[in-house]
Amino acid sequence: MDVCLAGLSMSRHPAHLTPLTTAAAAVGGALLLGLSGWPPRTAGVAYACLVLAALLNSILENRRPTKTDAQSMPLSFVIDFTALLLLGPIMATLVAVVGAVTLTSGHSRTRPACANIGTSVAAIQTAGLAHSTLGGALGYFDWPWHAVSVGAAAMTYCLVRIGSAAIVTPLLTNQPVNLQWSIIALRSSPNYILGASVVVVIVEIINQQAWKLFPVIAVPLFFLYKNYVRYLDRLDREHRGLEVVESLDQGMCFIDVNGQITLWNDALQRILNCPRERALGHPIVVAVPVLGKTEFPRAVAEALLRRTPRTFPNFRLPSSTGALTLQVKILPDVGGVTVLWHDVTEQALAEHRLQRSEERLALMEAGANDGLWEWNLARRELHVSARWRSMVGLPAASANVRPEDWFERVHADDIESLKQAIDAHLSGQTDELRHEHRVRHEDGTYRRFLCHGIAVRGANRRAARIAGSMTDVTEYSDAQEQLRSAGFRDQLTGLWTRAPFVEELGQRLAAFKQRRGGRFAALYIDLDRFKVVNDSLGHQVGDELLVAVSRRLESCLREGDTIARLGGDEFALLLNSLDDEGQANAIAFRIQDALNVPFSIGGREVFTSASIGITFSASQYNNPEEIIRDADSAMYQAKASGKARHEVFDADMRSRALDRLGLENDLRHAVTDTDFEVHYQPIVSLTSGMCVGFEALVRWTRNGVTVAPDKFIPVAEELGLIEPLGTWVLREACRTFADWQRRFPQNKLECITVNVSTRQLMQQNFLHIVEQAVHEARMTPADLRLEITETTLMGSPFVAADALRQLQDFGVKIYLDDFGTGYSSLSHLHKLPVDALKIDRSFVRSLLLPDRPAIVESILALARTLDTGVVAEGVESDVQARELERLGCRHAQGYYFSPPLSREAAEELLASHRRLGDRGPSTRSRAIETQTEVFFSSAPFEWPDDANPDGAPGAGPRPRGRGDSHGGRVPPASTAA
Ligand code: C2E
Ligand code: CA
């Protein structure tokens, strides 16, 4: 029943072909008979039989289903067998051929058709042989003697037909041979016996010519035929059903009301790994014992009892290859239950994996500090995680966002670079997207996000999607910024320091060179005389002034400009965008005006001004340092041109700046090699005109050119070279002076003055240096006069005063240089350890001016009050000399008497022991005199009597200050008067 015999399968041939094929088969058969000449007597009957057979065959078989089971007896058997029993084997063969041809006509494939015809012929021939051999007779039936021969013939027909269909036809059609054919034949034999019985009845009716019985017989025969056809139909349906069942991927079994398995399809053999033989006829828990531990048996029992279906969507069953997941449906059916088994192990695994990965993803998303995003480029959809949403302040469950929702939030300054980064990655230029940008939070603030992404590419390398993460780095970059700015911010003023300013300037220069930004300017600002404020008013005031200046400078800036403190009293500005150069000029003026207003610091008014250097953007600049350098040069120029002004950089300044650099280098070398000289300017007694002492002045010849001390002394101070240089000058001057005292005693030299800068005085061991120089030279300490400036005294008054007192205690005297030009309050002068004042040459010069202020008189009066000596500087004419003398000044120096002289020239002068100063008015002084006649009506200058008119050494007057009752002080002018 479970085997389909391919050879017995026939296709329904088309109805319209039936009459044609029937006629053709009949005519063909008749022709064959005619040609064989057999038998002329019965030819009419034969033709009639053949035509009848063909028609019957065609009619009967035509109504048959397309598929037959091997057990079913073909209806052609009745016709063929009738022909055999009535007309004998030859006629029967002809009828069988005609029948077979009729049935196979229209068969598309020749091989099965021929096999079918051959099978029919072989079957009827062997049946005929069996019939005649066992004593069968033609045309009548003698019961019971003929039963054996008829039965044997039918059985032989059955065997040959099924055997041939199971073996020969499959061989011809390349199909598997069915070795169970004998069993099938045995099972089919009852049908053939039944068919043979019908034939015997027909034969006997014909034999007895009992035509009257025919209608009686025809009715049951018809019903028999109908039932048989129905039976075949049912078989066919079952067969088809089974075929379907077998072809199912789903497992299927049927369990009858007794719990026995009656159907077990191929798929189920595979799924439960249980062969059909083990299952059929047994309870399911015997066939598959593992089911006994499940609720399946109970479910089946319930379905049988209650007739209700039951489904197990995920029926888990252990198996040798791992756990199986099955979908099992128990469907109540007639006489039992049908069970459908669907192996969903793979699907369940895939679902499980999917679920797991979704869970994992959800967990990672929930646990991740980063926001995740996926952008479908084709569909323009952006999927973002809940964290992403919360990072920008959106509710976690809000609807999906569009790509625009992201980009619209990006800071305007960052959007271009973000788009560029995305384009670069999508076009394959970069391996990943990595970009830091600011994104607007719902609360309106901007947060800084670091965005990572990777594109998913299709076969043509085109990006279809891009996905990644978003990290909030706001706090990190704020902290970084704070760290940076801690180092980048000036502690005192809160302004940027040099490093960030240079970086900013560098970026601005790069933008300018790449034509991304317009013109800009850099301003270098240096406060004028800040050092004086710092030294005289103290560092506290200096610091406060710097802070106040910073705020004023900031107030002069425009939006987008940058300010920094480069160090000390130096500031820099970056004017970020300039329409024209005039704007920089205007801002420089604005700064000057702002600084002009006095600052109120610590209850007092402090004045300051600034020198400003300006330089403009130019493509020849290679780095920001060059810009700052040039602005610095311009600032120096502004200082040199009189301070409190600004200058725009030009090329000459550059060379001057370079010169300064060279000067510094050369100065270092000169100090190392003590490549200096000391010149000596005579100090003259105004009464005698004789040289009573010298001021030591350092000289430096650089590349054959003399460099003025005013130019290199400040540089030496800045570079910290003044200490070694000053020590050398001091020792050299002391040595020389002591030597002269010994060699030129007639000159009665009283003093040597040496200039001392603040830094020198503040040296820890300055007293020791002075003591050493004096002792080394073996001179009297009182002959050494140290010249210090007012600012030295005012900067750190207590320290300076202390140092000076120690020096005085040692015996040396202190002169206050450039007196009257500084900030010292004259009222404090009496508290200072000063032995003499040097009247600055600017006051001496002013002596010749009409309406001159009475400052020289004031200084001399003060000196008298304080019992302090006075030396006038820069006397250039005899008029000045006479006027000073008239006012009571006893000592002076200046070109009128002598310029500073080299050691040799000074020795020459000492050796000549002559009076200094013109006896008569010089060309220059005469001109001055002409102008000032009105004011100086006194007689032409004449040296007093105690002067040595012939200039003989030692003849000059000895200034009273030396060793007198005033403690070595230059006597006050009043006493001399
Ligand atoms: P100073 O202390 O005021 O020195 C006097 C300056 O006036 C000298 O300039 C001198 O040459 C100049 N001078 C003298 N007579 C006249 C005159 O009749 N008319 C004019 N116009 N000038 C006259 P010098 O030598 O160029 O020195 C300039 C300054 O350099 C000095 O000013 C002093 O402050 C400083 N200096 C010179 N040598 C030394 C030194 O060895 N150590 C220190 N610390 N400073 C020094
Ligand atoms: Ca001096």
Side-chain angles (χ1 to χ4, degrees):
M1 124 166 220
D2 52 349
V3 177
C4 166
L5 292 182
L8 297 180
S9 306
M10 291 181 195
S11 59
R12 185 197 300 261
H13 48 102
H16 66 271
L17 283 176
T18 311
L20 275 175
T21 43
T22 308
V27 170
L31 276 174
L32 271 171
L33 282 174
L35 285 173
S36 64
W38 177 91
R41 193 168 50 83
T42 52
V45 181
Y47 289 149
C49 286
L50 283 174
V51 171
L52 187 69
L55 279 172
L56 278 173
N57 232 332
S58 149
I59 291 162
L60 295 181
E61 293 289 354
N62 195 32
R63 304 193 57 173
R64 286 205 40 202
T66 48
K67 295 253 178 184
T68 61
D69 187 78
Q71 289 176 51
S72 66
M73 174 204 71
L75 289 171
S76 60
F77 168 72
V78 179
I79 299 159
D80 297 352
F81 210 66
T82 309
L84 178 71
L85 296 194
L86 275 178
L87 304 170
I90 294 172
M91 259 320 270
T93 303
L94 273 171
V95 168
V97 168
V98 168
V101 168
T102 306
L103 290 178
T104 54
S105 63
H107 208 288
S108 55
R109 289 160 67 199
T110 20
R111 275 195 187 189
C114 293
N116 209 21
I117 294 167
T119 301
S120 298
V121 170
I124 202 69
Q125 280 289 326
T126 46
L129 191 66
H131 184 251
S132 60
T133 308
L134 293 174
L138 292 181
Y140 74 100
F141 182 79
D142 192 7
W143 180 259
W145 315 114
H146 285 158
V148 176
S149 59
V150 169
M155 285 306 297
T156 309
Y157 187 100
C158 167
L159 279 173
V160 171
R161 184 157 187 111
I162 290 175
S164 155
I167 297 163
V168 180
T169 311
L171 282 178
L172 285 173
T173 54
N174 289 331
Q175 284 186 347
V177 171
N178 192 340
L179 297 173
Q180 289 181 312
W181 66 275
S182 52
I183 299 166
I184 298 166
L186 209 64
R187 283 190 193 157
S188 304
S189 53
N191 290 334
Y192 281 86
I193 298 298
L194 184 71
S197 308
V198 171
V199 170
V200 167
V201 171
I202 293 169
V203 167
E204 270 308 288
I205 287 173
I206 294 169
N207 181 39
Q208 304 291 330
Q209 302 212 335
W211 306 117
K212 282 174 249 170
L213 280 179
F214 195 75
V216 182
I217 278 294
V219 174
L221 265 182
F222 176 73
F223 286 119
L224 187 66
Y225 164 73
K226 282 304 253 185
N227 275 340
Y228 186 69
V229 166
R230 230 174 270 135
Y231 161 73
L232 288 180
D233 281 353
R234 192 167 57 79
L235 275 187
D236 197 55
R237 267 201 309 277
E238 274 179 13
H239 181 82
R240 280 164 194 258
L242 278 173
E243 268 192 340
V244 170
V245 167
E246 289 308 328
S247 66
L248 284 178
D249 279 343
Q250 260 186 6
M252 185 174 170
C253 69
F254 187 83
I255 302 169
D256 65 15
V257 283
N258 302 317
Q260 307 288 312
I261 296 166
T262 57
L263 186 132
W264 193 262
N265 79 344
D266 270 359
L268 195 54
Q269 296 191 83
R270 257 194 337 268
I271 293 170
L272 294 181
N273 195 21
C274 169
R276 185 178 282 116
E277 296 72 43
R278 211 172 75 197
L280 289 178
H282 298 107
I284 194 145
V285 288
V286 175
V288 188
V290 73
L291 281 171
K293 295 173 196 158
T294 68
E295 53 180 324
F296 180 77
R298 206 154 51 86
V300 170
E302 259 178 39
L304 285 172
L305 192 71
R306 298 185 208 280
R307 317 302 300 160
T308 47
R310 173 89 188 265
T311 302
F312 295 96
N314 276 307
F315 189 76
R316 309 263 297 158
L317 205 62
S319 88
S320 55
T321 52
L324 285 174
T325 305
L326 305 169
Q327 197 185 65
V328 181
K329 280 185 186 165
I330 304 170
L331 306 167
D333 206 342
V334 186
V337 289
T338 301
V339 188
L340 297 173
W341 310 74
H342 191 191
D343 186 355
V344 292
T345 311
E346 281 301 313
Q347 192 188 329
L349 268 178
E351 272 173 14
H352 180 70
R353 274 196 291 265
L354 189 71
Q355 193 187 346
R356 278 283 299 127
S357 81
E358 272 176 4
E359 278 172 9
R360 216 177 294 133
L361 198 69
L363 194 68
M364 287 192 308
E365 247 191 57
N369 196 32
D370 292 353
L372 306 179
W373 54 272
E374 188 211 24
W375 177 13
N376 188 317
L377 297 164
R379 283 195 261 150
R380 304 183 54 75
E381 282 173 1
L382 182 69
H383 298 270
V384 295
S385 68
R387 172 74 186 130
W388 193 99
R389 289 197 190 92
S390 79
M391 278 162 73
V392 297
L394 289 172
S398 62
N400 259 339
V401 288
R402 300 164 303 140
E404 298 81 50
D405 294 335
W406 175 7
F407 297 128
E408 278 165 8
R409 285 175 183 275
V410 176
H411 193 282
D413 292 349
D414 300 342
I415 187 71
E416 263 320 303
S417 60
L418 171 64
K419 284 183 175 169
Q420 281 170 9
I422 292 175
D423 285 347
H425 180 54
L426 293 182
S427 61
Q429 291 167 37
T430 54
D431 292 339
E432 62 160 353
L433 165 68
R434 190 189 157 85
H435 191 264
E436 204 176 298
H437 54 264
R438 284 160 289 174
V439 175
R440 197 183 60 253
H441 192 271
E442 279 293 291
D443 65 12
T445 61
Y446 277 93
R447 316 233 7 122
R448 187 168 280 277
F449 289 160
L450 176 63
C451 171
H452 271 114
I454 290 279
V456 180
R457 296 175 194 280
N460 52 0
R461 299 284 303 142
R462 263 181 72 130
R465 284 180 300 131
I466 176 165
S469 65
M470 194 91 114
T471 315
D472 189 339
V473 294
T474 315
E475 277 168 22
Y476 173 75
S477 62
D478 282 358
Q480 287 286 95
E481 176 59 29
Q482 268 170 17
L483 263 184
R484 247 205 317 271
S485 50
F488 286 176
R489 289 277 172 200
D490 174 43
Q491 300 288 312
L492 178 67
T493 60
L495 301 180
W496 275 11
T497 54
R498 188 185 185 96
F501 181 80
V502 171
E503 194 183 318
E504 168 97 2
L505 189 60
Q507 285 172 6
R508 192 63 189 76
L509 176 64
F512 173 76
K513 290 177 92 165
Q514 292 163 12
R515 297 180 191 284
R516 281 189 286 113
R519 305 199 62 191
F520 65 92
L523 272 63
Y524 201 112
I525 302 169
D526 187 283
L527 298 187
D528 299 325
R529 291 183 304 278
F530 176 72
K531 194 170 147 19
V532 174
V533 173
N534 221 3
D535 288 349
S536 58
L537 302 177
H539 288 277
Q540 175 84 23
V541 174
D543 284 354
E544 284 179 41
L545 179 64
L546 285 175
V547 174
V549 165
S550 301
R551 299 293 86 83
R552 290 228 185 135
L553 290 177
E554 279 176 332
S555 72
C556 299
L557 298 184
R558 305 160 310 162
E559 176 105 13
D561 292 342
T562 306
I563 179 169
R565 180 179 172 215
L566 301 184
D569 58 345
E570 292 174 348
F571 298 86
L573 296 189
L574 166 60
L575 305 182
N576 227 319
S577 55
L578 281 187
D579 297 331
D580 58 77
E581 297 189 355
Q583 273 182 314
N585 210 32
I587 289 169
F589 274 120
R590 204 189 296 169
I591 292 171
Q592 306 281 15
D593 289 346
L595 297 183
N596 254 344
V597 181
F599 293 85
S600 168
I601 291 166
R604 70 169 88 187
E605 282 197 329
V606 179
F607 291 85
T608 191
S609 63
S611 300
I612 304 172
I614 305 175
T615 196
F616 292 101
S617 49
S619 49
Q620 61 262 32
Y621 282 124
N622 295 312
N623 55 55
E625 298 288 358
E626 289 180 2
I627 299 176
I628 295 176
R629 177 202 64 201
D630 285 353
D632 188 21
S633 302
M635 186 276 291
Y636 262 97
Q637 184 59 42
K639 274 221 187 300
S641 311
K643 302 178 178 167
R645 53 183 291 144
H646 60 268
E647 291 284 342
V648 174
F649 173 78
D650 65 43
D652 288 350
M653 292 178 191
R654 169 117 189 79
S655 63
R656 282 196 292 274
L658 279 177
D659 194 42
R660 155 134 185 154
L661 206 67
L663 183 105
E664 285 180 7
N665 285 339
D666 292 352
L667 190 61
R668 281 177 201 281
H669 286 123
V671 170
T672 313
D673 304 343
T674 51
D675 193 11
F676 297 92
E677 267 183 74
V678 180
H679 280 202
Y680 302 89
Q681 184 170 39
I683 298 170
V684 176
S685 159
L686 281 176
T687 40
S688 66
M690 294 304 289
C691 169
V692 295
F694 291 94
E695 178 178 2
L697 294 160
V698 70
R699 291 288 175 267
W700 178 34
T701 309
R702 178 182 175 227
N703 305 326
V705 179
T706 305
V707 185
D710 283 335
K711 200 173 169 196
F712 73 84
I713 292 286
V715 179
E717 282 175 341
E718 254 177 61
L719 300 182
L721 298 171
I722 194 69
E723 290 95 335
L725 176 61
T727 303
W728 179 81
V729 172
L730 177 74
R731 294 174 66 187
E732 180 68 20
C734 289
R735 233 189 346 256
T736 307
F737 179 75
D739 181 44
W740 287 343
Q741 275 186 322
R742 284 187 286 273
R743 283 170 56 203
F744 307 104
Q746 71 280 19
N747 284 277
K748 297 198 170 60
L749 290 174
E750 294 172 14
C751 62
I752 176 83
T753 71
V754 177
N755 293 284
V756 172
S757 74
T758 311
R759 286 187 64 137
Q760 277 178 279
L761 185 67
M762 295 302 162
Q763 262 175 295
Q764 284 293 320
N765 58 344
F766 185 63
L767 175 66
H768 179 67
I769 291 169
V770 173
E771 286 172 347
Q772 248 192 342
V774 169
H775 293 145
E776 236 177 46
R778 285 181 286 120
M779 65 182 282
T780 317
D783 293 347
L784 176 62
R785 319 277 155 98
L786 298 179
E787 295 190 8
I788 55 155
T789 58
E790 282 176 86
T791 47
T792 306
L793 276 176
M794 299 309 294
S796 317
F798 300 110
V799 185
D802 203 43
L804 293 177
R805 280 204 189 90
Q806 287 180 21
L807 287 165
Q808 281 184 330
D809 289 347
F810 171 59
V812 299
K813 295 184 192 313
I814 307 299
Y815 281 19
L816 199 52
D817 208 356
D818 307 335
F819 185 75
T821 57
Y823 288 78
S824 63
S825 160
L826 296 179
S827 58
H828 286 108
L829 196 60
H830 68 279
K831 296 181 198 157
L832 297 172
V834 169
D835 298 289
L837 308 174
K838 289 191 83 170
I839 301 177
D840 189 71
R841 62 174 170 272
S842 56
F843 303 128
V844 173
R845 198 178 300 137
S846 72
L847 280 174
L848 303 178
L849 298 175
D851 299 331
R852 66 181 175 85
I855 187 130
V856 177
E857 287 91 331
S858 302
I859 294 171
L860 287 168
L862 182 76
R864 268 196 297 276
T865 313
L866 297 177
D867 196 11
T868 306
V870 176
V871 181
E873 284 186 307
V875 178
E876 293 182 346
S877 68
D878 59 339
V879 184
Q880 289 167 337
R882 271 186 288 157
E883 180 64 2
L884 283 165
E885 197 194 9
R886 192 183 68 78
L887 292 173
C889 180
R890 298 290 306 273
H891 294 92
Q893 60 185 90
Y895 294 158
Y896 172 68
F897 305 110
S898 165
L901 304 170
S902 67
R903 185 188 167 129
E904 295 74 29
E907 286 177 0
E908 245 173 65
L909 172 79
L910 288 172
S912 69
H913 188 58
R914 57 181 166 84
R915 264 196 283 196
L916 295 173
D918 284 346
R919 295 299 307 182
S922 67
T923 323
R924 189 174 49 156
S925 55
R926 221 180 293 131
I928 299 167
E929 207 175 8
T930 326
Q931 288 172 10
T932 55
E933 265 173 340
V934 186
F935 305 99
F936 301 102
S937 50
S938 53
F941 181 78
E942 269 180 23
W943 291 105
D945 296 339
D946 59 345
N948 185 354
D950 55 3
R958 174 155 170 76
R960 287 196 208 151
R962 202 178 162 80
D964 63 12
S965 59
H966 297 289
R969 289 185 184 178
V970 178
S974 54
T975 42

